Amino acid sequence: PLLLSSGGNGDGDGDGEDSTSDDDDRNAELRRVLNALRHARREEKEATGGANRTSVAAFFLRSMSELESFACLEIFTRRHAPTYFSRCLSGARSGAALVRASIEVVDPAYSATLDERVFENCCALPLVASFLSCAKPIDEVVVLWDLLLAMGPHFIILLVVALVLDRKTTDLSSLQPLKMAELDGNRVGRIALDLLPRIPPPLDDLIKRHTKVDVDNNDIRSCARQLLLLQQQQQKRPLLR
């Protein structure tokens, strides 16, 4: 299995000229991988158009060679999460709506305190679109990437839900990547795994499908409303004696 936390090309702490040289080398590697991907997919106008491919490629380069990184990136963008790399980031936009819907189902009281549009567009979207690579510190994000690659790209939804519920703040600015406090990868990962049995099958199906096929955000919101209604009905149902 691929374990990004094993180090690989991400090793080597230097300073001064050595550090600058390392950065230049990594940037050159990143450009070559992205150019190779663009060339390989040149016939597919919608493919690999998202800006998030840069951050994903950088994560692969962290632990493997250029050739291996290109192979993994090509498979990841083509087979496992193609909707996330369309020019309009359709998968990521659906992912942001799924984060909101999941919170609404597992914690309705907290969800009611969140401004839907601000939360989805300014908080959830950058986190899911970048597969958390915009969070910090990088070593803790790598821990979550190990779990993400083990569970599948769709698991990014529960990782972001776990991150948000771990903070449980009404100050949405603190959930934006540039202002977000450092995360604890192991803690967020445990919360995400604990959330798995709490996601009802209809919502779980949308989560699993959204990385490969386009999912309408209206369908996501409708699903969440129906699940909430079902929960309310079950709570009101008298206990059998």
Side-chain angles (χ1 to χ4, degrees):
L2 173 63
L3 296 177
L4 295 181
S5 54
S6 60
N9 289 359
D11 292 345
D13 294 328
D15 52 25
E17 293 183 2
D18 289 342
S19 178
T20 301
S21 177
D22 288 343
D23 288 343
D24 289 343
D25 289 344
R26 288 169 185 159
N27 286 334
E29 289 177 344
L30 183 58
R31 286 194 297 271
R32 287 193 292 268
V33 168
L34 293 175
N35 285 336
L37 180 67
R38 189 178 299 112
H39 179 75
R41 309 285 292 278
R42 62 187 180 278
E43 300 299 330
E44 305 171 43
K45 293 182 179 181
E46 282 296 312
T48 68
N52 54 341
R53 67 192 186 280
T54 302
S55 55
V56 174
F59 259 84
F60 285 128
L61 280 167
R62 183 181 167 82
S63 60
M64 58 187 72
S65 69
E66 281 185 54
L67 184 58
E68 292 169 328
S69 297
F70 163 72
C72 287
L73 183 63
E74 207 279 335
I75 292 172
F76 192 82
T77 59
R78 181 193 295 272
R79 186 182 305 170
H80 296 293
T83 61
Y84 270 68
F85 299 94
S86 65
R87 295 190 183 279
C88 62
L89 299 178
S90 61
R93 296 187 186 281
S94 296
L98 285 164
V99 169
R100 163 75 184 197
S102 298
I103 294 175
E104 196 171 1
V105 169
V106 300
D107 195 338
Y110 175 57
S111 176
T113 68
L114 302 175
D115 182 290
E116 180 176 334
R117 182 171 298 179
V118 174
F119 175 75
E120 287 188 15
N121 294 333
C122 300
C123 305
L125 180 60
L127 292 172
V128 296
S130 68
F131 289 93
L132 284 174
S133 62
C134 61
K136 58 184 180 182
I138 192 68
D139 288 340
E140 295 298 316
V141 178
V142 167
V143 172
L144 295 179
W145 260 68
D146 281 344
L147 183 56
L148 177 73
L149 293 174
M151 300 296 291
H154 66 275
F155 198 66
I156 187 61
I157 303 303
L158 290 190
L159 288 176
V160 174
V161 171
L163 176 60
V164 173
L165 292 181
D166 186 40
R167 310 295 169 89
K168 216 167 189 178
T169 177
T170 56
D171 178 13
L172 292 183
S173 65
S174 67
L175 292 176
Q176 296 175 19
L178 292 178
K179 299 181 180 180
M180 192 165 56
E182 294 187 349
L183 60 83
D184 181 332
N186 286 321
R187 177 180 172 84
V188 172
R190 285 194 298 270
I191 295 173
L193 290 172
D194 288 342
L195 286 171
L196 269 174
R198 300 176 60 189
I199 302 297
L203 183 57
D204 183 57
D205 178 64
L206 293 175
I207 290 174
K208 288 178 177 176
R209 287 196 293 117
H210 88 283
T211 59
K212 296 182 180 180
V213 297
D214 288 334
V215 175
D216 193 301
N217 284 8
N218 290 326
D219 292 340
I220 295 171
R221 295 185 179 96
S222 175
C223 177
R225 286 194 298 268
Q226 291 174 11
L227 291 171
L228 277 176
L229 181 60
L230 181 61
Q231 287 180 358
Q232 293 168 358
Q233 291 173 345
Q234 290 174 340
Q235 291 170 357
K236 293 178 180 178
R237 186 177 300 166
L239 295 176
L240 296 176
R241 293 180 180 272

